Amino acid sequence: MSKYTYKIAAAYIILLSVCGKFSAQNTMDTLQVQETKQDSTAVLAPEKSHLNYKSLIVPAAFIGYGVASLSVKKLKQINFSTRDEINEHKPDHIKLDNYTQFAPAILVYGLNAAGVQGKHNFKERSIIYGTSMLITSAITIPLKHIVKEERPDQSNNLSFPSGHTAIAFASAQFMFREYKDTNFWLGISGYSFAVFTGVYRMLNDKHWVGDVVAGAGFGILSTELAYWLYPKINTMLGGKNKNTAMMVMPFYQNKSLGIGLVKTF
């Protein structure tokens, strides 16, 4: 195994272990007992309506590193040295990262359809995930145009932060929050797709290390904010009316991200 492969594997393991530690800590801080109910009648525990500051430590650290990498000389050197080493080995550019960014969220819906129930029912988790995607887009898209960092491949000046990585970690955090109380290891499995997405954004020469780390932070933060905002959003959307039904799903087409919403009364 080459020195290059060892470094990529090490980066993968380190980031995954950090997320795992964050997940374990968050589980200890927010573990609650709730009644077992059918998917159609799942309820959100009252404690979820407040934002636990401890859940913001890891995303804040990731975002801080990413922002610092824009100007701190040593961190910028890490960006360039990593890019140079990747280019030296000329890895194949694959497009799987366009799809793996959504994989954890797709798994949540697939597992629920297969009978492996998460914390929330279809309507509730759709609102939460849709909110997370909206927050992620509202943060990353304007930042790209404000920062105007050039991509490693010099294709444009929209490198910081990595939008793919942000969506991937938002999706992974969504999967963790849905399954952390019932199946912890299943809950953290989504981070493997998120790390894969971030690594391949660098291997595809589309992002610097700092872009990817910041994207991970923004993604985790977006999902945490979505869970905090859910009770308020659900109330505004008529959550108390049992005859209403709603579906909120993100879509990705022609390099554009969007949110679709359908509601019946």
Side-chain angles (χ1 to χ4, degrees), residues 143-172:
L143 272 178
K144 286 177 176 289
H145 292 276
I146 293 171
V147 177
K148 296 181 178 180
E149 181 188 37
E150 187 176 45
R151 293 185 186 274
D153 65 358
Q154 301 180 331
S155 58
N156 59 44
N157 294 325
L158 302 175
S159 190
F160 182 91
S162 170
H164 282 67
T165 307
I167 291 173
F169 274 87
S171 298

PDB file of all heavy atoms in Angstrom, residues 143-172:
ATOM      1  N   LEU A 143     -22.172  31.635   0.898  1.00  0.00           N
ATOM      2  CA  LEU A 143     -20.764  31.676   1.296  1.00  0.00           C
ATOM      3  C   LEU A 143     -19.832  31.465   0.109  1.00  0.00           C
ATOM      4  O   LEU A 143     -18.775  32.092   0.017  1.00  0.00           O
ATOM      5  CB  LEU A 143     -20.477  30.623   2.371  1.00  0.00           C
ATOM      6  CG  LEU A 143     -20.696  31.042   3.820  1.00  0.00           C
ATOM      7  CD1 LEU A 143     -20.413  29.879   4.762  1.00  0.00           C
ATOM      8  CD2 LEU A 143     -19.841  32.250   4.189  1.00  0.00           C
ATOM      9  N   LYS A 144     -20.208  30.584  -0.794  1.00  0.00           N
ATOM     10  CA  LYS A 144     -19.387  30.348  -1.977  1.00  0.00           C
ATOM     11  C   LYS A 144     -19.174  31.638  -2.764  1.00  0.00           C
ATOM     12  O   LYS A 144     -18.073  31.925  -3.248  1.00  0.00           O
ATOM     13  CB  LYS A 144     -20.046  29.294  -2.874  1.00  0.00           C
ATOM     14  CG  LYS A 144     -19.945  27.868  -2.349  1.00  0.00           C
ATOM     15  CD  LYS A 144     -20.698  26.917  -3.268  1.00  0.00           C
ATOM     16  CE  LYS A 144     -20.534  25.468  -2.824  1.00  0.00           C
ATOM     17  NZ  LYS A 144     -19.165  24.961  -3.067  1.00  0.00           N
ATOM     18  N   HIS A 145     -20.235  32.420  -2.888  1.00  0.00           N
ATOM     19  CA  HIS A 145     -20.156  33.656  -3.664  1.00  0.00           C
ATOM     20  C   HIS A 145     -19.500  34.799  -2.880  1.00  0.00           C
ATOM     21  O   HIS A 145     -18.978  35.741  -3.471  1.00  0.00           O
ATOM     22  CB  HIS A 145     -21.559  34.067  -4.121  1.00  0.00           C
ATOM     23  CG  HIS A 145     -22.160  33.127  -5.123  1.00  0.00           C
ATOM     24  ND1 HIS A 145     -21.901  33.208  -6.477  1.00  0.00           N
ATOM     25  CD2 HIS A 145     -22.990  32.063  -4.965  1.00  0.00           C
ATOM     26  CE1 HIS A 145     -22.549  32.258  -7.114  1.00  0.00           C
ATOM     27  NE2 HIS A 145     -23.223  31.548  -6.226  1.00  0.00           N
ATOM     28  N   ILE A 146     -19.550  34.708  -1.555  1.00  0.00           N
ATOM     29  CA  ILE A 146     -18.914  35.738  -0.724  1.00  0.00           C
ATOM     30  C   ILE A 146     -17.408  35.505  -0.627  1.00  0.00           C
ATOM     31  O   ILE A 146     -16.607  36.425  -0.809  1.00  0.00           O
ATOM     32  CB  ILE A 146     -19.539  35.756   0.689  1.00  0.00           C
ATOM     33  CG1 ILE A 146     -20.992  36.233   0.621  1.00  0.00           C
ATOM     34  CG2 ILE A 146     -18.733  36.655   1.620  1.00  0.00           C
ATOM     35  CD1 ILE A 146     -21.752  36.080   1.931  1.00  0.00           C
ATOM     36  N   VAL A 147     -17.020  34.256  -0.337  1.00  0.00           N
ATOM     37  CA  VAL A 147     -15.602  33.929  -0.150  1.00  0.00           C
ATOM     38  C   VAL A 147     -14.854  33.919  -1.480  1.00  0.00           C
ATOM     39  O   VAL A 147     -13.714  34.382  -1.576  1.00  0.00           O
ATOM     40  CB  VAL A 147     -15.459  32.568   0.564  1.00  0.00           C
ATOM     41  CG1 VAL A 147     -13.979  32.183   0.688  1.00  0.00           C
ATOM     42  CG2 VAL A 147     -16.109  32.622   1.944  1.00  0.00           C
ATOM     43  N   LYS A 148     -15.461  33.359  -2.508  1.00  0.00           N
ATOM     44  CA  LYS A 148     -14.869  33.296  -3.857  1.00  0.00           C
ATOM     45  C   LYS A 148     -13.491  32.642  -3.857  1.00  0.00           C
ATOM     46  O   LYS A 148     -12.534  33.152  -4.444  1.00  0.00           O
ATOM     47  CB  LYS A 148     -14.792  34.698  -4.465  1.00  0.00           C
ATOM     48  CG  LYS A 148     -16.154  35.337  -4.698  1.00  0.00           C
ATOM     49  CD  LYS A 148     -16.023  36.711  -5.331  1.00  0.00           C
ATOM     50  CE  LYS A 148     -17.406  37.319  -5.595  1.00  0.00           C
ATOM     51  NZ  LYS A 148     -17.308  38.667  -6.210  1.00  0.00           N
ATOM     52  N   GLU A 149     -13.395  31.495  -3.218  1.00  0.00           N
ATOM     53  CA  GLU A 149     -12.135  30.753  -3.220  1.00  0.00           C
ATOM     54  C   GLU A 149     -12.038  29.907  -4.496  1.00  0.00           C
ATOM     55  O   GLU A 149     -12.985  29.220  -4.866  1.00  0.00           O
ATOM     56  CB  GLU A 149     -12.055  29.841  -1.997  1.00  0.00           C
ATOM     57  CG  GLU A 149     -10.742  29.063  -1.926  1.00  0.00           C
ATOM     58  CD  GLU A 149     -10.756  28.018  -0.821  1.00  0.00           C
ATOM     59  OE1 GLU A 149     -11.811  27.406  -0.601  1.00  0.00           O
ATOM     60  OE2 GLU A 149      -9.707  27.822  -0.195  1.00  0.00           O
ATOM     61  N   GLU A 150     -10.906  29.949  -5.140  1.00  0.00           N
ATOM     62  CA  GLU A 150     -10.717  29.192  -6.377  1.00  0.00           C
ATOM     63  C   GLU A 150     -10.599  27.700  -6.084  1.00  0.00           C
ATOM     64  O   GLU A 150      -9.931  27.291  -5.138  1.00  0.00           O
ATOM     65  CB  GLU A 150      -9.467  29.662  -7.112  1.00  0.00           C
ATOM     66  CG  GLU A 150      -9.290  29.033  -8.482  1.00  0.00           C
ATOM     67  CD  GLU A 150      -8.099  29.598  -9.232  1.00  0.00           C
ATOM     68  OE1 GLU A 150      -7.024  29.745  -8.603  1.00  0.00           O
ATOM     69  OE2 GLU A 150      -8.228  29.900 -10.426  1.00  0.00           O
ATOM     70  N   ARG A 151     -11.240  26.883  -6.903  1.00  0.00           N
ATOM     71  CA  ARG A 151     -11.154  25.431  -6.747  1.00  0.00           C
ATOM     72  C   ARG A 151      -9.750  24.946  -7.118  1.00  0.00           C
ATOM     73  O   ARG A 151      -9.046  25.609  -7.892  1.00  0.00           O
ATOM     74  CB  ARG A 151     -12.179  24.737  -7.641  1.00  0.00           C
ATOM     75  CG  ARG A 151     -13.633  24.964  -7.254  1.00  0.00           C
ATOM     76  CD  ARG A 151     -14.545  24.120  -8.130  1.00  0.00           C
ATOM     77  NE  ARG A 151     -15.956  24.405  -7.906  1.00  0.00           N
ATOM     78  CZ  ARG A 151     -16.708  23.832  -6.968  1.00  0.00           C
ATOM     79  NH1 ARG A 151     -16.156  22.919  -6.168  1.00  0.00           N
ATOM     80  NH2 ARG A 151     -17.989  24.145  -6.839  1.00  0.00           N
ATOM     81  N   PRO A 152      -9.355  23.778  -6.591  1.00  0.00           N
ATOM     82  CA  PRO A 152      -8.039  23.239  -6.945  1.00  0.00           C
ATOM     83  C   PRO A 152      -7.858  23.039  -8.450  1.00  0.00           C
ATOM     84  O   PRO A 152      -6.751  23.213  -8.968  1.00  0.00           O
ATOM     85  CB  PRO A 152      -8.011  21.891  -6.201  1.00  0.00           C
ATOM     86  CG  PRO A 152      -8.932  22.088  -5.048  1.00  0.00           C
ATOM     87  CD  PRO A 152     -10.026  22.979  -5.553  1.00  0.00           C
ATOM     88  N   ASP A 153      -8.952  22.674  -9.155  1.00  0.00           N
ATOM     89  CA  ASP A 153      -8.837  22.464 -10.606  1.00  0.00           C
ATOM     90  C   ASP A 153      -9.012  23.751 -11.396  1.00  0.00           C
ATOM     91  O   ASP A 153      -9.030  23.733 -12.627  1.00  0.00           O
ATOM     92  CB  ASP A 153      -9.844  21.415 -11.080  1.00  0.00           C
ATOM     93  CG  ASP A 153     -11.295  21.868 -10.893  1.00  0.00           C
ATOM     94  OD1 ASP A 153     -11.524  22.983 -10.364  1.00  0.00           O
ATOM     95  OD2 ASP A 153     -12.203  21.111 -11.286  1.00  0.00           O
ATOM     96  N   GLN A 154      -9.175  24.890 -10.673  1.00  0.00           N
ATOM     97  CA  GLN A 154      -9.291  26.218 -11.279  1.00  0.00           C
ATOM     98  C   GLN A 154     -10.508  26.356 -12.200  1.00  0.00           C
ATOM     99  O   GLN A 154     -10.533  27.217 -13.076  1.00  0.00           O
ATOM    100  CB  GLN A 154      -8.010  26.565 -12.057  1.00  0.00           C
ATOM    101  CG  GLN A 154      -6.754  26.554 -11.194  1.00  0.00           C
ATOM    102  CD  GLN A 154      -5.499  26.886 -11.964  1.00  0.00           C
ATOM    103  OE1 GLN A 154      -5.403  26.627 -13.167  1.00  0.00           O
ATOM    104  NE2 GLN A 154      -4.508  27.461 -11.290  1.00  0.00           N
ATOM    105  N   SER A 155     -11.541  25.548 -11.959  1.00  0.00           N
ATOM    106  CA  SER A 155     -12.734  25.604 -12.813  1.00  0.00           C
ATOM    107  C   SER A 155     -13.616  26.812 -12.501  1.00  0.00           C
ATOM    108  O   SER A 155     -14.279  27.347 -13.387  1.00  0.00           O
ATOM    109  CB  SER A 155     -13.553  24.318 -12.676  1.00  0.00           C
ATOM    110  OG  SER A 155     -13.941  24.106 -11.316  1.00  0.00           O
ATOM    111  N   ASN A 156     -13.629  27.256 -11.235  1.00  0.00           N
ATOM    112  CA  ASN A 156     -14.379  28.453 -10.855  1.00  0.00           C
ATOM    113  C   ASN A 156     -13.920  28.901  -9.469  1.00  0.00           C
ATOM    114  O   ASN A 156     -12.993  28.330  -8.892  1.00  0.00           O
ATOM    115  CB  ASN A 156     -15.898  28.211 -10.899  1.00  0.00           C
ATOM    116  CG  ASN A 156     -16.338  27.088  -9.965  1.00  0.00           C
ATOM    117  OD1 ASN A 156     -15.907  26.987  -8.820  1.00  0.00           O
ATOM    118  ND2 ASN A 156     -17.208  26.219 -10.481  1.00  0.00           N
ATOM    119  N   ASN A 157     -14.568  29.933  -8.938  1.00  0.00           N
ATOM    120  CA  ASN A 157     -14.215  30.473  -7.616  1.00  0.00           C
ATOM    121  C   ASN A 157     -15.280  30.176  -6.577  1.00  0.00           C
ATOM    122  O   ASN A 157     -15.613  31.020  -5.738  1.00  0.00           O
ATOM    123  CB  ASN A 157     -14.001  31.988  -7.710  1.00  0.00           C
ATOM    124  CG  ASN A 157     -12.807  32.357  -8.553  1.00  0.00           C
ATOM    125  OD1 ASN A 157     -11.797  31.650  -8.555  1.00  0.00           O
ATOM    126  ND2 ASN A 157     -12.902  33.449  -9.291  1.00  0.00           N
ATOM    127  N   LEU A 158     -15.831  28.962  -6.596  1.00  0.00           N
ATOM    128  CA  LEU A 158     -16.909  28.588  -5.677  1.00  0.00           C
ATOM    129  C   LEU A 158     -16.505  27.378  -4.831  1.00  0.00           C
ATOM    130  O   LEU A 158     -17.303  26.467  -4.599  1.00  0.00           O
ATOM    131  CB  LEU A 158     -18.187  28.278  -6.472  1.00  0.00           C
ATOM    132  CG  LEU A 158     -18.723  29.405  -7.358  1.00  0.00           C
ATOM    133  CD1 LEU A 158     -19.916  28.923  -8.171  1.00  0.00           C
ATOM    134  CD2 LEU A 158     -19.105  30.630  -6.524  1.00  0.00           C
ATOM    135  N   SER A 159     -15.284  27.376  -4.348  1.00  0.00           N
ATOM    136  CA  SER A 159     -14.761  26.199  -3.655  1.00  0.00           C
ATOM    137  C   SER A 159     -15.175  26.102  -2.190  1.00  0.00           C
ATOM    138  O   SER A 159     -15.451  25.010  -1.695  1.00  0.00           O
ATOM    139  CB  SER A 159     -13.231  26.176  -3.746  1.00  0.00           C
ATOM    140  OG  SER A 159     -12.704  24.963  -3.289  1.00  0.00           O
ATOM    141  N   PHE A 160     -15.217  27.234  -1.483  1.00  0.00           N
ATOM    142  CA  PHE A 160     -15.484  27.198  -0.035  1.00  0.00           C
ATOM    143  C   PHE A 160     -16.910  27.624   0.285  1.00  0.00           C
ATOM    144  O   PHE A 160     -17.339  28.697  -0.147  1.00  0.00           O
ATOM    145  CB  PHE A 160     -14.524  28.127   0.708  1.00  0.00           C
ATOM    146  CG  PHE A 160     -14.708  28.113   2.202  1.00  0.00           C
ATOM    147  CD1 PHE A 160     -13.996  27.228   2.990  1.00  0.00           C
ATOM    148  CD2 PHE A 160     -15.598  28.980   2.816  1.00  0.00           C
ATOM    149  CE1 PHE A 160     -14.167  27.210   4.377  1.00  0.00           C
ATOM    150  CE2 PHE A 160     -15.780  28.970   4.191  1.00  0.00           C
ATOM    151  CZ  PHE A 160     -15.063  28.075   4.963  1.00  0.00           C
ATOM    152  N   PRO A 161     -17.611  26.795   1.092  1.00  0.00           N
ATOM    153  CA  PRO A 161     -17.270  25.452   1.568  1.00  0.00           C
ATOM    154  C   PRO A 161     -17.753  24.387   0.590  1.00  0.00           C
ATOM    155  O   PRO A 161     -18.414  24.725  -0.402  1.00  0.00           O
ATOM    156  CB  PRO A 161     -18.050  25.366   2.882  1.00  0.00           C
ATOM    157  CG  PRO A 161     -19.291  26.155   2.594  1.00  0.00           C
ATOM    158  CD  PRO A 161     -18.856  27.294   1.691  1.00  0.00           C
ATOM    159  N   SER A 162     -17.469  23.136   0.861  1.00  0.00           N
ATOM    160  CA  SER A 162     -17.911  22.050  -0.010  1.00  0.00           C
ATOM    161  C   SER A 162     -19.394  21.768   0.209  1.00  0.00           C
ATOM    162  O   SER A 162     -19.798  21.293   1.278  1.00  0.00           O
ATOM    163  CB  SER A 162     -17.112  20.777   0.275  1.00  0.00           C
ATOM    164  OG  SER A 162     -17.672  19.668  -0.386  1.00  0.00           O
ATOM    165  N   GLY A 163     -20.199  22.058  -0.796  1.00  0.00           N
ATOM    166  CA  GLY A 163     -21.632  21.818  -0.690  1.00  0.00           C
ATOM    167  C   GLY A 163     -21.976  20.340  -0.631  1.00  0.00           C
ATOM    168  O   GLY A 163     -22.869  19.922   0.123  1.00  0.00           O
ATOM    169  N   HIS A 164     -21.284  19.527  -1.434  1.00  0.00           N
ATOM    170  CA  HIS A 164     -21.518  18.081  -1.407  1.00  0.00           C
ATOM    171  C   HIS A 164     -21.254  17.517  -0.013  1.00  0.00           C
ATOM    172  O   HIS A 164     -22.043  16.714   0.506  1.00  0.00           O
ATOM    173  CB  HIS A 164     -20.600  17.369  -2.409  1.00  0.00           C
ATOM    174  CG  HIS A 164     -21.038  17.460  -3.835  1.00  0.00           C
ATOM    175  ND1 HIS A 164     -21.055  18.649  -4.534  1.00  0.00           N
ATOM    176  CD2 HIS A 164     -21.476  16.503  -4.701  1.00  0.00           C
ATOM    177  CE1 HIS A 164     -21.469  18.420  -5.772  1.00  0.00           C
ATOM    178  NE2 HIS A 164     -21.734  17.131  -5.894  1.00  0.00           N
ATOM    179  N   THR A 165     -20.139  17.936   0.593  1.00  0.00           N
ATOM    180  CA  THR A 165     -19.792  17.435   1.919  1.00  0.00           C
ATOM    181  C   THR A 165     -20.793  17.911   2.963  1.00  0.00           C
ATOM    182  O   THR A 165     -21.148  17.163   3.881  1.00  0.00           O
ATOM    183  CB  THR A 165     -18.375  17.889   2.313  1.00  0.00           C
ATOM    184  OG1 THR A 165     -17.459  17.528   1.277  1.00  0.00           O
ATOM    185  CG2 THR A 165     -17.942  17.248   3.614  1.00  0.00           C
ATOM    186  N   ALA A 166     -21.248  19.145   2.833  1.00  0.00           N
ATOM    187  CA  ALA A 166     -22.231  19.670   3.773  1.00  0.00           C
ATOM    188  C   ALA A 166     -23.521  18.855   3.719  1.00  0.00           C
ATOM    189  O   ALA A 166     -24.086  18.482   4.757  1.00  0.00           O
ATOM    190  CB  ALA A 166     -22.518  21.143   3.459  1.00  0.00           C
ATOM    191  N   ILE A 167     -23.995  18.563   2.515  1.00  0.00           N
ATOM    192  CA  ILE A 167     -25.210  17.761   2.373  1.00  0.00           C
ATOM    193  C   ILE A 167     -24.985  16.356   2.914  1.00  0.00           C
ATOM    194  O   ILE A 167     -25.852  15.784   3.597  1.00  0.00           O
ATOM    195  CB  ILE A 167     -25.642  17.694   0.894  1.00  0.00           C
ATOM    196  CG1 ILE A 167     -26.129  19.070   0.436  1.00  0.00           C
ATOM    197  CG2 ILE A 167     -26.733  16.648   0.682  1.00  0.00           C
ATOM    198  CD1 ILE A 167     -26.422  19.152  -1.047  1.00  0.00           C
ATOM    199  N   ALA A 168     -23.815  15.788   2.634  1.00  0.00           N
ATOM    200  CA  ALA A 168     -23.511  14.432   3.086  1.00  0.00           C
ATOM    201  C   ALA A 168     -23.527  14.340   4.611  1.00  0.00           C
ATOM    202  O   ALA A 168     -24.098  13.403   5.182  1.00  0.00           O
ATOM    203  CB  ALA A 168     -22.150  13.990   2.543  1.00  0.00           C
ATOM    204  N   PHE A 169     -22.904  15.305   5.289  1.00  0.00           N
ATOM    205  CA  PHE A 169     -22.868  15.253   6.747  1.00  0.00           C
ATOM    206  C   PHE A 169     -24.206  15.661   7.363  1.00  0.00           C
ATOM    207  O   PHE A 169     -24.552  15.192   8.457  1.00  0.00           O
ATOM    208  CB  PHE A 169     -21.723  16.111   7.288  1.00  0.00           C
ATOM    209  CG  PHE A 169     -20.414  15.374   7.344  1.00  0.00           C
ATOM    210  CD1 PHE A 169     -19.578  15.330   6.243  1.00  0.00           C
ATOM    211  CD2 PHE A 169     -20.033  14.697   8.489  1.00  0.00           C
ATOM    212  CE1 PHE A 169     -18.381  14.634   6.264  1.00  0.00           C
ATOM    213  CE2 PHE A 169     -18.836  13.994   8.535  1.00  0.00           C
ATOM    214  CZ  PHE A 169     -18.009  13.953   7.421  1.00  0.00           C
ATOM    215  N   ALA A 170     -24.953  16.514   6.690  1.00  0.00           N
ATOM    216  CA  ALA A 170     -26.309  16.821   7.155  1.00  0.00           C
ATOM    217  C   ALA A 170     -27.155  15.554   7.100  1.00  0.00           C
ATOM    218  O   ALA A 170     -27.932  15.256   8.020  1.00  0.00           O
ATOM    219  CB  ALA A 170     -26.927  17.920   6.297  1.00  0.00           C
ATOM    220  N   SER A 171     -27.011  14.776   6.036  1.00  0.00           N
ATOM    221  CA  SER A 171     -27.754  13.527   5.876  1.00  0.00           C
ATOM    222  C   SER A 171     -27.304  12.498   6.910  1.00  0.00           C
ATOM    223  O   SER A 171     -28.122  11.778   7.491  1.00  0.00           O
ATOM    224  CB  SER A 171     -27.543  12.970   4.464  1.00  0.00           C
ATOM    225  OG  SER A 171     -28.022  13.866   3.481  1.00  0.00           O
ATOM    226  N   ALA A 172     -25.985  12.418   7.146  1.00  0.00           N
ATOM    227  CA  ALA A 172     -25.461  11.465   8.118  1.00  0.00           C
ATOM    228  C   ALA A 172     -25.922  11.808   9.536  1.00  0.00           C
ATOM    229  O   ALA A 172     -26.274  10.921  10.327  1.00  0.00           O
ATOM    230  CB  ALA A 172     -23.937  11.441   8.056  1.00  0.00           C
TER     231      ALA A 172
END
